[in-house]
Amino acid sequence: MNFFDKLNEAIVQNQSILFVGLDPNPEMMPVGYKSQDIMPRLWDWLQFIISETADKVCAYKPTLGFYEALGIPGLELLHKTLAAIPSHIPIILDAKHSDLNTSTLFAHTVFTEWNVDAITLSSYAGQDHVAPFLVYPDKAVFILCCTSNPTAIKLQHYPTDESPFYLQIVKESRTWGTPEQLGLEVGTTKSEVIARIRADAPERIIMTRSIWAEGNNINQILAAGLNKNGDGLLIPVPQDMLSREDLSKQVLSLQEEINRAKTEINLDASSCSVWLPNICLLNQHPLQDLILQLYDIGCVMFGNYVQASGAVFPYYIDLRKIISNPQLFNQVLKAYEDILRTLKFDRVAGIPYGSLPTATGLALRLHCPMIFPRKEVKAHGTRRVIEGEFYPGETIVVVDDILISGKSVMEGAEKLKSAGLNVEDIVVFINHEQGVMNRLQENGYRGYAVLTISEITETLYTAGRIEREQFLALKTEE
């Protein structure tokens, strides 16, 4: 399970967007721990924090610097602390790592040996520093873009308050990794700073810190930082609360206060936004509005995105947002349907997991039965490879979201064929091109696509949505 899914499961299970800093700071430790040796006292305190909050928070954030300051015993304490955190709750290692030369080795250590789920990084060395952490597809990074230190204002707000450096970090870092891989760490006492960052990064997780320094109104922080779906924001448990004997009660009260405020904010927001085009082109693509909307809501993003294989693409496609936008989802289904009505088949099959909502919607629109090949076969129950009712000899049309190499969709098709089904046609939403349709044909399949990546980029460039440099970068890829 990747960090993004693990975090969301913890949020849902504990009904909380709170996280706890697990910092062995002797100055913050309660006086009640009587052992003469400081290390056992710190360990007892950290265990107490975890036991009192494990059912009320969505993540833990140990700060590496506190453990390093205690020397070798401190690192031993870190390993004990990591092991004590329940496995279903994600761990965000607050490292602020900033050394380019050690990033590859450090990423391997924290993600494969320490098994943390995410890490905080400094942005100053750029994408080269972040990339070694992004090749771990199930992990995530949080880029520090803003701190609350008063003396940092001269740097963070340079050159002007209207165009500050911290917003440049936000804009640039969005091109480094996907929303599931890369979030933002924001230290501030000002809700307007969070609001500006949210406006520039509507799709990113924002992990806040220092928000309690001036006794801020949590409603203002939530209103500024929550995304249009009412999530995407992580709130720290105040440090001084962690020294309270009634910690569980205090965190529960804060959790309830935040949830009430979230509910009020979400009720005030529109449940379904409507997108309208703002241009008119003479020689427009027949699906121009669909393409522009995909870009405007963040389904199509441009930058240098590191893939799990280590390859770097000049764009990233995230079609999972479509299902949260009924207006757009309906257009997507209609575009698929126009192709499917030209084909002959008995059932439609979706490839897990990305295209299952699409396949379900198409089955309803076409009044056609749906099946799907399992991504993995369960070790219990029926152990079926194919879910749904079908009969050998039937013809199946396969639908998928993005066609890059063709490997996953052909593997799914082969599973269907192994059950005695006929598969000849594969329909996808976006074709990455690069000869992949020829690859399908060589393996005995006819491929169809609603859109190609070149159609998308040419339309976006003509409409002024992307710069010439971005357009040329994609033309080079073709």
Side-chain angles (χ1 to χ4, degrees):
M1 181 183 298
N2 63 36
F3 167 79
F4 187 81
D5 291 338
K6 188 175 182 180
L7 176 67
N8 282 331
E9 284 198 4
I11 290 173
V12 171
Q13 179 174 329
N14 289 346
Q15 289 296 293
S16 176
I17 60 171
L18 291 170
F19 68 90
V20 168
L22 291 175
D23 302 337
N25 183 354
E27 297 179 1
M28 297 294 296
M29 185 169 52
V31 296
Y33 295 89
K34 303 297 184 181
S35 173
Q36 292 183 350
D37 190 343
I38 191 173
M39 298 309 294
R41 282 189 286 159
L42 289 171
W43 170 234
D44 289 344
W45 180 37
L46 293 172
Q47 285 186 96
F48 168 75
I49 293 173
I50 294 171
S51 65
E52 293 291 290
T53 61
D55 61 343
K56 301 175 182 68
V57 300
C58 66
Y60 287 104
K61 184 176 72 66
T63 301
L64 181 59
F66 280 111
Y67 296 89
E68 290 178 327
L70 297 169
I72 293 177
L75 292 177
E76 292 172 346
L77 177 62
L78 173 62
H79 285 283
K80 289 173 63 177
T81 303
L82 295 177
I85 296 172
S87 60
H88 67 282
I89 299 181
I91 300 171
I92 303 169
L93 183 67
D94 194 355
K96 303 293 191 298
H97 189 264
S98 59
D99 182 50
L100 180 62
N101 293 328
T102 59
S103 58
T104 298
L105 180 59
F106 192 57
H108 175 79
T109 297
V110 298
F111 287 154
T112 64
E113 296 182 17
W114 297 0
N115 201 32
V116 303
D117 301 287
I119 187 170
T120 63
L121 301 175
S122 172
S123 64
Y124 202 75
Q127 188 185 22
D128 288 341
H129 168 53
V130 179
F133 296 86
L134 296 179
V135 299
Y136 295 84
D138 293 337
K139 308 297 183 178
V141 303
F142 284 85
I143 302 299
L144 176 65
C145 61
C146 185
T147 78
S148 60
N149 295 336
T151 58
I153 291 178
K154 291 183 178 179
L155 296 175
Q156 293 174 170
H157 288 259
Y158 180 86
T160 66
D161 286 338
E162 291 71 32
S163 183
F165 179 63
Y166 74 84
L167 285 186
Q168 182 60 34
I169 294 174
V170 172
K171 294 172 184 176
E172 183 64 23
S173 64
R174 289 179 67 203
T175 70
W176 296 346
T178 70
E180 290 76 22
Q181 292 178 300
L182 189 145
L184 301 169
E185 183 180 20
V186 180
T188 185
T189 59
K190 301 182 184 300
S191 59
E192 57 266 30
V193 169
I194 297 176
R196 294 187 71 179
I197 292 172
R198 171 56 72 206
D200 279 356
E203 80 292 353
R204 301 289 160 162
I205 300 174
I206 295 177
M207 180 172 65
T208 61
R209 58 183 302 153
S210 307
I211 61 170
W212 307 108
E214 297 178 0
N216 278 343
N217 185 332
I218 188 61
N219 294 59
Q220 295 175 350
I221 297 295
L222 292 170
L226 291 171
N227 62 27
K228 66 179 182 179
N229 295 321
D231 50 33
L233 187 68
L234 303 181
I235 301 292
V237 172
Q239 280 290 317
D240 57 358
M241 192 178 286
L242 300 179
S243 61
R244 299 282 296 268
E245 290 185 3
D246 59 344
L247 175 58
S248 178
K249 181 179 179 181
Q250 292 291 322
V251 175
L252 177 60
S253 177
L254 179 60
Q255 174 190 8
E256 292 174 344
E257 178 187 356
I258 288 174
N259 287 343
R260 282 195 299 270
K262 279 185 62 183
T263 299
E264 292 174 2
I265 291 168
N266 291 339
L267 286 175
D268 290 339
S270 172
S271 62
C272 179
S273 60
V274 176
W275 178 93
L276 295 172
N278 59 357
I279 65 166
C280 180
L281 302 178
L282 293 178
N283 298 315
Q284 66 181 39
H285 189 283
L287 296 177
Q288 173 189 286
D289 286 356
L290 177 57
I291 294 171
L292 296 180
Q293 189 173 2
L294 288 170
Y295 177 78
D296 288 350
I297 71 170
C299 292
V300 180
M301 295 173 283
F302 294 91
N304 294 314
Y305 289 95
V306 180
Q307 308 299 306
S309 64
V312 177
F313 280 10
Y315 64 89
Y316 176 69
I317 309 292
D318 180 10
L319 298 181
R320 282 168 290 190
K321 296 181 180 182
I322 290 174
I323 60 175
S324 298
N325 189 308
Q327 180 196 28
L328 177 59
F329 193 26
N330 185 61
Q331 292 180 61
V332 169
L333 292 176
K334 176 63 168 59
Y336 270 103
E337 184 182 357
D338 289 343
I339 296 175
L340 290 173
R341 288 197 180 280
T342 68
L343 308 176
K344 292 183 178 180
F345 52 90
D346 300 302
R347 299 174 194 269
V348 61
I351 301 298
Y353 294 101
S355 67
L356 292 185
T358 300
T360 303
L362 290 170
L364 292 169
R365 290 176 73 103
L366 297 169
H367 304 287
C368 173
M370 171 188 161
I371 60 174
F372 68 90
R374 292 190 62 85
K375 192 171 185 178
E376 62 286 312
V377 180
K378 294 187 295 184
H380 58 279
T382 61
R383 301 183 183 180
R384 289 181 177 175
V385 177
I386 312 297
E387 294 290 357
E389 186 180 32
F390 62 90
Y391 302 98
E394 290 184 320
T395 298
I396 309 299
V397 62
V398 174
V399 298
D400 203 0
D401 46 11
I402 306 172
L403 194 61
I404 297 180
S405 69
K407 179 181 177 183
S408 62
V409 73
M410 285 193 285
E411 287 178 350
E414 289 302 312
K415 289 179 182 178
L416 297 169
K417 290 167 69 174
S418 70
L421 297 167
N422 299 320
V423 180
E424 297 176 349
D425 298 316
I426 294 174
V427 183
V428 300
F429 187 59
I430 295 178
N431 173 15
H432 176 67
E433 298 176 290
Q434 303 288 317
V436 65
M437 284 295 186
N438 292 334
R439 205 169 301 130
L440 291 186
Q441 188 174 9
E442 290 168 0
N443 285 271
Y445 303 105
R446 293 187 294 262
Y448 307 84
V450 173
L451 293 166
T452 65
I453 192 63
S454 60
E455 288 177 309
I456 293 172
T457 54
E458 287 170 7
T459 298
L460 292 176
Y461 177 58
T462 304
R465 291 297 203 273
I466 61 175
E467 302 294 333
R468 179 174 174 79
E469 291 75 14
Q470 295 172 310
F471 176 65
L472 293 177
L474 280 136
K475 292 293 286 185
T476 303
E477 289 289 311
E478 295 176 11

